[in-house]
Structures are given as C-alpha cells and as structure tokens.
Amino acid sequence: MPLAAPSTAPSSARRTAATSSYTALSQAVREAGLLRRAYRYYAWTGAVLVVALGGLVAGFVLLGDSWLQLLVAGALGIVLTQFAFLAHEAAHRQVLASGPANDRLGRFLANGVVGISYSWWMSKHSRHHANPNRLGKDPDIANDTVVFTEDGARAQHRWLRPLTRVQGWAFFPLLTLEGLNLHVTSIRSLLHGTRADRGARALEVAAIAVRLAAYVAAVCWFLPPGLAAAFLGVQLAVFGVYMGASFAPNHKGMAIIPAESRIDFFSKQVLTSRNIRGGALMSVLMGGLNHQVEHHLFPSMPRPHLARARELVRAHCAAHQVPYTETSLVRSYAIVVRYLNRVGLAARDPFDCPAYHRLRGV
C-alpha cells in the first residue's frame, strides 16, 4: 500500500457527499437497533470465560509437576486475550449502559484479570481511533522496534536497522515478546504519569502489582523453577502473539495519512481500516476486531451487531464510491509481512548495496 492517501481515494466532491450522507448512515444504524446494548451476549460471553478460567486453574492444581502444564499455559494465554477483548469493548462503552459502569468493568478486567493498565490503554487507543494511520498522531504507527513508514525506517537506531530490513519476516516471532512488553509498558506509563492523576495511578499500579505478584507466586509455588519459567514464558508468548495477530490485520498496510492532510471522518476511518472475512467464528476469535471498518465508524456498537452494520456500511461505501477493504485472515497477514518488509528497505545503508538508490529512483 502507498504511504499516502491512495489514488482510489474519493475526490473532494465525493468526500463532501460521503460526509453529508454519514448522518443518514448513522440514522439507519440507530433505527436498526444496532447501537443498543447486548446484555445477554456479554453476560454469556463473560460467564463462558469465567468458567474457562476456573477450569484452567483447577487443571493447573490437579496436574502439578507435569510438562502438560504448558498446555494449560497456552490455553491461559488465549483466555486472558479474550478477557482483554472484553476490556477493550468496555472501554468503548459497548457492554454496559453507563460510562462509569463500563470504566469500572474495564479496569477490573484489564488491571485485575489481564494485568495491564486500563488508563494507559484508554489514552493510547483513543488517540488511535481519533486519527488512525495519521502521521504524528496515531501512536500505533509511531517508531518502535517495528517501524511503519519509510521515513521512520530511515530514522531508526543504527543497531536496529538490520532487524528493520527484515521486519516483516520478524514481525510474528517478535510478537512472542509482546505480552511482556504490554505489562512493562503499561506499568512504566503509570509510574511516569502527571501529578494530576497521581491517586488514580497509584490505585492502578497497586491492582496490577497484586495481580502479577499473586500470579507469579502461585506458579512458582506449585511448580519447580524450570517448569515455572517455561509456564510463564509460554503463557506470555501465546498472549502476545494472539493479541498482536488480532490487532495487526486491522490497519497495517492500509493508507498512511499525512499529518497536514484534511480528510472527512467517514473516509478517514474507512480508507485506513481493513475487515477480515470469517463470519461469527471470526468475531469470537478476534473479539469483533474483524469488523474493523464498522468498529471505527461506530466505536460504541456491541460486537454482535457489527455483522449487520457491515451490510449497511458496504452499501453506503458502494453508493459513494469509497473503497471498502475486506480480505481473509491469511491474506491480511501476507499483506502485513510484505508491507513491513517494503518499509524496512528504507533502513538499508546504500553502501551495503550500490544499486539501492538507483532502484528506488532516488
């Protein structure tokens, strides 16, 4: 994908038409009841996850000193990711009726169950939703170990450039460390926050510390050191890969919006988002993130209503000639790998390859 608005982006007149008609689309979505809370769905989903977590705890205790515990660890990584999906939906006001109630649920799930900072996630994710794939505004495409723009690749630390050149191939292996990174980054953000929210941050740090300490202590108490370390490693690796593999297909490889550009809300959200085919099963596996276009257009829409909203949004995009991107999960991963590798070429030292600048037309 290009590193700017694609050539298929709607013209100014079409963008104006899309903007003016977005009100009509929103009205159609509301009249269809797609913004109503889905209490039964979330009650059932939460109950299943609680039972699954209880079963894993029971299996952990009963198995004792056995390498079969690594299966429990992998399953635990999956279940904790599903709880993280629920925390994400609570943060978007999808689960309960009021904002404060959703925040309380989200804090409990994120801090107490998953072990990551709810406030850090809210801040980061809100900025992403406001400006997806916009340079300088979307934290999800800011330079890190993996970079998402050619300028970012050129500015990458010298000691990371060998990795950046092959970052597409390294992306999924690196996700095995993402679980640990999420814990560390969220705690670091709480420790370096502003004075204004010091009390709230202290409570959040305490909740996360108790959760993580109790979990590690329990694993180390029941298992010998080597098996305990393997258990924690497998759980964190599965958690990181599952989280990363669920969020990566949504925007990576889609249009990058220049910082100074002006683009309407509807086009901005649709042109930078990618849906994943797969129906109801994919919605369960990805926590509704497979309907990324609809999620970005209507962030407070409960997960079970996104499939119906997809039909309305696709029709709206077709009527206003706004490209609507949807593909398979495997195909999306191939796009992400190819895109990251292409971006990573900008980190190549031209002295390593004399034909580099010539081939790139520089």
Side-chain angles (χ1 to χ4, degrees):
M1 292 294 294
L3 298 181
S7 59
T8 51
S11 66
S12 178
R14 289 173 183 170
R15 287 200 301 270
T16 301
T19 301
S20 63
S21 66
Y22 179 61
T23 301
L25 174 63
S26 299
Q27 183 65 26
V29 165
R30 191 174 298 277
E31 289 177 356
L34 302 181
L35 295 179
R36 287 200 295 263
R37 302 282 74 82
Y39 297 117
R40 290 184 180 179
Y41 177 87
Y42 285 112
W44 176 84
T45 300
V48 169
L49 290 179
V50 169
V51 170
L53 182 60
L56 290 175
V57 171
F60 173 81
V61 173
L62 292 174
L63 277 174
D65 183 3
S66 168
W67 286 98
L68 290 176
Q69 291 281 14
L70 298 187
L71 297 177
V72 176
L76 182 59
I78 293 172
V79 170
L80 289 178
T81 304
Q82 287 287 330
F83 274 113
F85 291 156
L86 281 185
H88 166 251
E89 290 168 284
H92 280 294
R93 311 296 192 257
Q94 295 176 19
V95 181
L96 301 175
S98 72
N102 276 295
D103 280 337
R104 287 192 292 270
L105 175 62
R107 284 193 180 91
F108 171 75
L109 293 174
N111 299 343
V113 179
V114 182
I116 61 175
S117 168
Y118 179 74
S119 61
W120 164 74
W121 173 262
M122 279 283 287
S123 173
K124 179 177 182 290
H125 200 59
S126 295
R127 285 180 286 140
H128 160 70
H129 265 265
N131 290 284
N133 276 16
R134 184 187 286 270
L135 293 173
K137 293 184 180 293
D138 184 357
D140 286 359
I141 60 170
N143 261 25
D144 206 325
T145 304
V146 175
V147 297
F148 301 101
T149 67
E150 293 185 3
D151 286 341
R154 295 187 189 100
Q156 185 64 293
H157 295 295
R158 177 172 292 274
W159 62 276
L160 277 175
R161 287 183 181 180
L163 174 63
T164 301
R165 296 169 195 166
V166 294
Q167 63 176 2
W169 302 119
F171 180 69
F172 286 99
L174 284 173
L175 288 180
T176 58
L177 301 175
E178 180 62 13
L180 179 61
N181 179 60
L182 287 172
H183 291 303
V184 172
T185 303
S186 62
I187 293 174
R188 182 186 298 144
S189 72
L190 291 173
L191 296 177
H192 294 88
T194 62
R195 288 189 175 185
D197 58 353
R198 180 179 295 176
R201 286 190 293 108
L203 289 175
E204 198 165 358
V205 168
I208 294 173
V210 169
R211 186 276 188 204
L212 294 178
Y215 169 59
V216 173
V219 171
C220 293
W221 177 268
F222 279 94
L223 302 179
L227 183 54
F231 184 96
L232 294 171
V234 168
Q235 184 267 299
L236 286 170
V238 171
F239 175 65
V241 170
Y242 192 3
M243 284 283 283
S246 298
F247 282 90
N250 304 334
H251 303 282
K252 305 299 182 281
M254 296 299 292
I256 300 291
I257 301 175
E260 69 282 358
S261 67
R262 299 180 64 182
I263 184 170
D264 64 275
F265 171 80
F266 180 80
S267 299
K268 173 175 63 177
Q269 303 296 346
V270 175
L271 292 175
T272 61
S273 301
R274 178 191 297 113
N275 275 15
I276 304 300
R277 291 192 291 266
L281 176 60
M282 192 62 68
S283 289
V284 172
L285 293 177
M286 296 186 68
L289 296 173
N290 53 311
H291 294 295
Q292 192 67 195
V293 174
E294 291 71 31
H295 172 58
H296 265 255
L297 290 173
F298 306 101
S300 64
M301 182 179 292
R303 191 194 309 181
H305 300 332
L306 292 169
R308 171 57 182 147
R310 170 182 171 274
E311 300 174 12
L312 299 177
V313 174
R314 280 173 60 93
H316 185 84
C317 287
H320 295 279
Q321 302 180 49
V322 178
Y324 182 98
T325 303
E326 187 174 65
T327 189
S328 69
L329 184 63
V330 173
R331 174 63 177 161
S332 74
Y333 291 153
I335 292 171
V336 170
V337 170
R338 185 171 62 249
Y339 170 76
L340 291 178
N341 276 335
R342 184 173 66 81
V343 167
L345 287 176
R348 187 186 300 275
D349 187 336
F351 291 105
D352 292 340
C353 178
Y356 172 70
H357 280 314
R358 185 175 69 254
L359 291 174
R360 294 186 63 86
V362 178

